[in-house]
Structure formats: C-alpha cells, structure tokens
Amino acid sequence: MTDALKAIQRQIQWNRLIAVVEEQAQTMIRTAFSTTVREAGDLSAGIFDLRGRMLAQAVTGTPGHVNSMMESVNHFLAKFPAETMRPGDHYITNDPWLGTGHLHDLTVVTPAFRNGRIVGLFANTAHVIDVGGLGMGPEGRSVFEEGLYIPIVKCFDQGRPNETFFDFLRAGSRTPVELEGDVYSLCACNDAGAKRLVEMMDEFAMDSLDELAAYIFESSLRATVEEIAKLPRGTYAAEIRSDGYEAPVTLKAAMTIREDRIEVDFAGTSGLSNRGINVPPAYCRAYSCFGIKCVVAPEIPNNWASLSPFHMRIPEGCILNAPRPYPVSVRHVVGQLLPDLMMGCLHQAVPERVNAEGSSALWNPPLRGGAQVSGPAAEVPDFEIITFNSGGTGARPTKDGLDATAFPSGVRTMPVEATENVAPVVFWRKELRPDSAGAGRTRGGCGQVMEIGAKNDAEFAVNAIFDRVAHPPKGRDGGRDGAPGWVGLDDPNGTPLRTKGFQIVPRGRHLVLKLPGGGGMGDPRQRDPALVRRDVADGLVSPEVARTVYGVEV
C-alpha cells in the first residue's frame, strides 16, 4: 500500500473511531435513568489507548466532563493496571480529584478485548441527580458533607455485579433506582463502544490501536502547533468577576503565547472558599483548554495531543486549585466562567475571532420537596430533581449571540414536560426575556424568564446555584453588558432570594428566575436598523431601548 493510500485509510479509521464513541454516547442517552443525561446530554464518552491517552471523544458531551475525564483514566490505570483487567470488568469513581470535579459525576472505565487481548479502554462520565449528603448545592463545608464518596473500585467483575458496591450505592441516595440504573447505563454504553471497536478492528485487520494512535496524535499535535504559530507572540492579561458565596470572586489570568504552546498563569485569582464553589484543578484545566481551543484551533479534533500544547499554572491556595477535602459540589459556577476569561486574553491578540462574554454558568436549580422539606405537613410526595437552563451567549464579531443556549457547557435545555413528568412540579412560565441581550452592532443572546411551582402550590425548596447576578456578562468593543440575572418569589413585592444556598419557597408561591443575557459587540448605533425593528417585532427589544440605545424609531 502506498503512503497516500495508507494516509487515506488512517483518516477513515479515525473517522470510524469517532463514530464508535458517538454510538457509545448515544447508547448512554437512550438507556439513562437520570433526566440530566437523557434530556440534557450532560455526559462525555471517549476511547483511550493503554497508556490512558484519549484518542477520540464523542461529539455529544460537555468539555468539563471530557477534558477532565481525559486525566482521570490515568488514575484508574494507576490502581488497576491494564494487564490486570479482564473481559467484563467495569471500574467506577466519583472522586472529584480523580474524576471530573464533583461527587455528582460518575466516571466508568471499561477495557476492550479482541481475541482475548486487551486493545483499548473506553471511559464515560454522566451527571446523576442525587448521591445523598446535602444534595447538589454550595452549603457543604467539606466534600464529606456533599454526598456518597466512591473511590476507584470495580462495579462489575468479569461481568458479575459487585453486590456490596450496589448495596452501598442504593443506601446512600434519595433516588436509588435512578442511580443504580445510571451505573448500568454507563457500563452498557462502554460495552457498546467496545463491541463496535472490535468490529472495526476486524474489518481493517488491526491487531492493535498503536499505529492509528500514533497517526492521530502526530496529526493533531502538528495541526495545533501550526495554528498557535499564527498568533501574535506576547503575554495578555484579563480578569473576570463572579458573584461568589461569602464574597465576590476574582479570576485572573496571564496568557503567554509562544511559538509552539500557550501558557496560562492564574496568579492573583481569589483564594479558596469555605463553601462548595471551589474548583478542582482538572476541571480548571478542562474549561480553560476548551476556551482556548474554541478560538485557536476549533476545527482540530479533541484528543490528548491536540490539548497537550496548552499549559496551566494554577497557584496553590486559589479557588481554581481546591485540595481535598474542600467542598466542590457546584464547581461549575466558577469553572464555567473560565472560557470567557481565556477569551478576554485572546481578544487582545485576535479580536476578530473572540465573542463577548455570555451568561456562562448554567442555571440548573436543584429542586426538592415532600416530607424531607415540609415534614408531616407535606402536600406532595418526596422528590429530588434538577432542571438545566441557560441564559444568552455573548455576541459574535459578525453574528448575534444565541438566545437561552448553554455555552461553554454545551448541554441541552431540558424540556419542561420531561421534568414535570418525573416530579410534582409545574412550570408556569418559560419565555425569552425582553431587553436582556447586551446591545451592540451585534447583540448578545437573550436570557429567559422561568416561573416554577410545586403541584397544589405546595411548599418546596431550591438549592440556589446561580451567578452573573451582581456581575453581568461584559460587552466588548463598545458593546453593552448583558442584563444581570435575578432570583426571587412571585409575591407582590418581588421578594429576592439569595443566589446561592438552600432556601424554602413557601406554600402558594412560585420561584422566579430571570436568566442573564449575553454581552454585545461593537457600537449599538452601528447595528442594522432592520435588525433592530425585527427584534422589536419579535418582542426581544422594547421600542424605548430601540430608540434610546440603538437610535432607531419603531
């Protein structure tokens, strides 16, 4: 076979590998019990070589999961070396420092065998609804309060379930059926990937993945370095503010672009919190790399080699480098601001390729009700549910931001019907929020307004984990900021609630969420008047804002 034909075949095999892991992810979605996986797609799936290096990831999934999961497979191999693994084995953990950052993420690693010989590893991560403890919220003072802590263990041994593990698992959760079902789903999706991998290797008469891995890594690294070399050299600094818990949090970064790599130093970032908004370092690296890659090398597939030129220095004692056992349950509230921070640096180098700031962190309120909230007076059965929602993304240099769309997490908005079907809650309102988009030549994406109650207008609780309320998304190049978020009750006074922490929504009242809009890009007076009139006709911009901000009479 000529070199040219061999290169074509390698590319076909690489594409097939991506199809394999995408089927792996879709199997999880089809079999998952948790709505967070089934409806929102809060998951990741990938294939790794026997050294723990990620070859390919599924298109479906979140960067916080897949990029931190990329590190976690090495921790599995350190405890269970590849040569000790057997067909039918499945290994699991939710350790925030060995997995993807908090206890609500389960990571499963499974060996793939062909003709009795191990040829690769499949890994996946999924966000589950409940692992006991205080629930998903920021109130814990240590990780031990935040839920069931699973070290790296076998959940299946040569196809047989580890019954002791499953006994502990069921006993430690408010949703035992869903949690156990999700573990089976994660194992099933890895098995589906392993089956398809063997079929592919048989078709191409491949004895191992080594040659394909070498091709993937060499091609990805070369392409990424070529893209980095096109950037202007220098060091670029930026900062961003989060509402925090006890006090506002400042994230600082100094990004140095060199000929063949990009280095980021987070010196000056706020210190650790006493509450669960701290970020384990793997999660910091995951979202920082994603933010850089979106701008620098968005077309290059995500794998071990394409991420290797990005280097992070995360000082000890800062909120982005939480040590065990600091609380980390809602690490996404701070961690999902990191792509905007990276873009703040890159805007100084390649402004034409960078968006304005967006709402960033998901607004995914964990809701709880029944006797565990109201005691004997409960009017609804016990429930624990999380619903995923998003504000607007930042304006793009040539296009508006996206309305009510998750960036950087990439998860889907959960249909209200799916949530109402599994919990006694009612969504009274879910609509785009007028005048929430930051004005600009290209405007930000709109946030949304949500109103949620329990059935029978019963009392229930919300574990608030919201941000961008005191510090809304910033515009760029003269664009206006997006509207800040707001959390409160539907009473006549519009009583505000705290943006973080466990709180009761009293009987007869509803929870109201006003999600932030994305920042604008450029001078609003330069916006096409026809687009302003369209936004007014669609109810996204008021006639007053059109007149006073955009200078357009409607």
Side-chain angles (χ1 to χ4, degrees), residues 372-422:
Q372 57 183 333
V373 172
S374 306
E379 299 179 88
V380 293
D382 286 358
F383 71 90
E384 185 89 14
I385 194 69
I386 300 174
T387 176
F388 283 21
N389 310 278
S390 306
T393 72
R396 295 166 284 183
T398 60
K399 296 181 180 179
D400 293 342
L402 302 173
D403 302 330
T405 299
F407 178 85
S409 70
V411 301
R412 298 189 298 270
T413 293
M414 292 171 59
V416 297
E417 296 85 357
T419 305
E420 291 175 338
N421 186 54
V422 296

Side-chain angles (χ1 to χ4, degrees), residues 135-158:
M136 187 175 164
E139 302 283 27
R141 298 281 186 167
S142 79
V143 72
F144 301 115
E145 299 178 47
E146 294 181 329
L148 182 66
Y149 200 123
I150 305 169
I152 296 176
V153 295
K154 281 186 182 181
C155 53
F156 283 86
D157 187 348
Q158 299 183 64

Side-chain angles (χ1 to χ4, degrees), residues 274-290:
N274 290 325
R275 301 290 187 163
I277 61 172
N278 299 293
V279 182
Y283 195 80
C284 172
R285 286 188 287 269
Y287 268 114
S288 299
C289 287
F290 177 71

Side-chain angles (χ1 to χ4, degrees), residues 22 43 116 121 136 219 248 270 363 383 404 450-451 505 509 511:
E22 181 60 19
L43 59 95
L121 301 166
M136 187 175 164
S219 301
S270 294
W363 280 46
F383 71 90
M450 302 178 62
E451 185 176 337
V505 178
R509 295 268 66 94
L511 173 68

Side-chain angles (χ1 to χ4, degrees), residues 312-334:
M312 310 292 152
R313 181 184 176 276
I314 317 171
E316 292 185 6
C318 85
I319 198 169
L320 300 175
N321 192 359
R324 191 184 275 111
Y326 267 79
V328 291
S329 180
V330 292
R331 83 291 191 237
H332 72 281
V333 171
V334 171

Side-chain angles (χ1 to χ4, degrees), residues 63-93:
H65 281 167
V66 72
N67 286 359
S68 49
M69 182 183 74
M70 186 184 72
E71 298 187 27
S72 67
V73 174
N74 284 299
H75 297 300
F76 281 81
L77 288 172
K79 185 169 183 180
F80 294 99
E83 60 269 19
T84 68
M85 296 179 174
R86 298 293 179 265
D89 286 352
H90 295 275
Y91 307 86
I92 191 169
T93 190

Side-chain angles (χ1 to χ4, degrees), residues 248-263:
V249 170
T250 299
L251 306 179
K252 290 188 176 183
M255 179 184 294
T256 301
I257 299 175
R258 303 192 187 279
E259 182 178 355
D260 59 352
R261 65 190 185 277
I262 293 177
E263 300 168 351

Side-chain angles (χ1 to χ4, degrees), residues 40-120:
D42 194 7
L43 59 95
S44 66
I47 183 171
F48 296 71
D49 69 7
L50 299 181
R51 293 169 57 184
R53 300 177 299 179
M54 184 171 69
L55 279 72
Q57 69 159 96
V59 176
T60 302
T62 74
H65 281 167
V66 72
N67 286 359
S68 49
M69 182 183 74
M70 186 184 72
E71 298 187 27
S72 67
V73 174
N74 284 299
H75 297 300
F76 281 81
L77 288 172
K79 185 169 183 180
F80 294 99
E83 60 269 19
T84 68
M85 296 179 174
R86 298 293 179 265
D89 286 352
H90 295 275
Y91 307 86
I92 191 169
T93 190
N94 70 344
D95 186 319
W97 289 271
L98 304 182
T100 59
H102 70 170
L103 297 177
H104 285 77
D105 288 344
L106 302 182
T107 297
V108 171
V109 173
T110 303
F113 286 81
R114 178 177 180 268
N115 297 330
R117 179 170 170 266
I118 186 170
V119 291

